[in-house]
Amino acid sequence: MAAGVRVPDILAKKQQGELITMLTAYDFNMARLLDASGVDMLLVGDSLGMVVLGYRNTIPVTLDDVVHHSAAVARGAERALVVADMPFGTCHCGPDDAMRAAARLVQEGGAAAVKIEGGHQIAEVVARLTDGGIPVMAHVGLRPQSVHQLGGFRRQARTRSDAELLLHDVKTLAEAGAFSVVLEAIPDDVAAEATTASPIPTIGIGAGPHCDGQVLVSYDVLGLYDRAVPKFAKQYAELGRHVTQAARQFVDEVTAREFPPPPEQPV
Ligand code: KIV
């Protein structure tokens, strides 16, 4: 897969029992750094709104925001498949509007696929985009764009009847043509059941170890954001601390007249 990850490679990984990895990216340079890790997919998630733009949730993120950041990520990603999030409100006015929005993400944003939050209600949109040549990653369980309806960022599918609804959603979305599905913040056993039943790869986030792949927000992984880190996220580095330390050292050295150093005196 050295030449670049394509949508069929993601499906093949599930068939071959290989685990899939995805991290979020929002800009050119971070996309280059993350791409070099060998991660399969870079998601220009609407988490952009929280970790980069400073909003309290993902709802204010616009299509223009995602197009702009996706284009930067696409310029930095040489190998990973770039997936761009369809922001709040872009696919609930019908398949034609959704197609227009998704086309911008692919055409201007350089994404190879789009991700859409929603269950069986978005099946028609998934079918329309897929027919139009735009691969769709679905997203069920905790759907941050529905934070108001869900009453907060809460775990989903905790009762048997809710779990059944989720399993039905995954089946419907796969039948509609989605090439993969994110399972966010659901019990491990429900994710395991969905993964076994689903013909398309499941990518988990806070959904336990039995999914076909895992995704995390890169700012959580790198320790760059501490405002609202979900319990299930794992921090692999503390870059935020290093950034503040380096900046503090710069401030100290400039104010102490240590940087820039005085010109060397001729001997
Ligand atoms: O926006 C995002 O970053 C996401 C991931 C958390 C899956 O949707």
Side-chain angles (χ1 to χ4, degrees), residues 22 24 26 43 45-48 58 85 115 117 139 182 184 205 215 217:
M22 180 161 82
T24 63
Y26 316 101
L43 169 67
D46 58 4
S47 49
L48 160 76
T58 59
D85 242 340
K115 178 168 80 59
E117 291 184 14
H139 182 155
V182 168
E184 180 162 354
I205 174 161
V215 53
V217 170

Side-chain angles (χ1 to χ4, degrees), residues 155-212:
R155 284 183 86 67
Q156 300 296 306
R158 283 170 302 167
T159 63
R160 190 60 216 163
S161 60
D162 285 351
E164 294 289 351
L165 284 177
L166 183 134
L167 295 170
H168 172 70
D169 282 346
V170 171
K171 183 169 178 287
T172 310
L173 292 162
E175 284 167 2
F179 78 95
S180 58
V181 56
V182 168
L183 306 178
E184 180 162 354
I186 61 170
D188 296 10
D189 57 339
V190 179
E193 215 177 325
T195 301
T196 308
S198 169
I200 56 170
T202 59
I203 318 285
I205 174 161
H210 306 296
C211 301
D212 296 308

Side-chain angles (χ1 to χ4, degrees), residues 48-74:
L48 160 76
M50 297 176 75
V51 301
V52 175
L53 303 178
Y55 301 133
R56 288 279 165 194
N57 57 47
T58 59
I59 291 173
V61 175
T62 65
L63 182 60
D64 282 347
D65 290 334
V66 183
V67 166
H68 179 75
H69 286 268
S70 179
V73 169

Side-chain angles (χ1 to χ4, degrees), residues 121-245:
Q121 303 86 346
I122 59 154
E124 210 187 327
V125 166
V126 172
R128 174 82 159 85
L129 268 52
T130 310
D131 285 348
I134 300 180
V136 178
M137 175 182 284
H139 182 155
V140 300
L142 171 56
R143 289 164 289 112
Q145 289 172 11
S146 303
V147 61
H148 298 313
Q149 194 183 34
L150 300 176
F153 295 106
R154 295 158 191 252
R155 284 183 86 67
Q156 300 296 306
R158 283 170 302 167
T159 63
R160 190 60 216 163
S161 60
D162 285 351
E164 294 289 351
L165 284 177
L166 183 134
L167 295 170
H168 172 70
D169 282 346
V170 171
K171 183 169 178 287
T172 310
L173 292 162
E175 284 167 2
F179 78 95
S180 58
V181 56
V182 168
L183 306 178
E184 180 162 354
I186 61 170
D188 296 10
D189 57 339
V190 179
E193 215 177 325
T195 301
T196 308
S198 169
I200 56 170
T202 59
I203 318 285
I205 174 161
H210 306 296
C211 301
D212 296 308
Q214 297 290 329
V215 53
L216 282 177
V217 170
S218 54
Y219 274 49
D220 294 338
V221 168
L222 300 173
L224 278 170
Y225 180 79
D226 59 8
R227 236 194 201 178
V229 185
K231 282 201 199 92
F232 53 71
K234 179 165 177 189
Q235 190 179 314
Y236 288 81
E238 288 181 61
L239 298 196
R241 194 167 53 79
H242 290 296
V243 169
T244 307
Q245 249 172 22

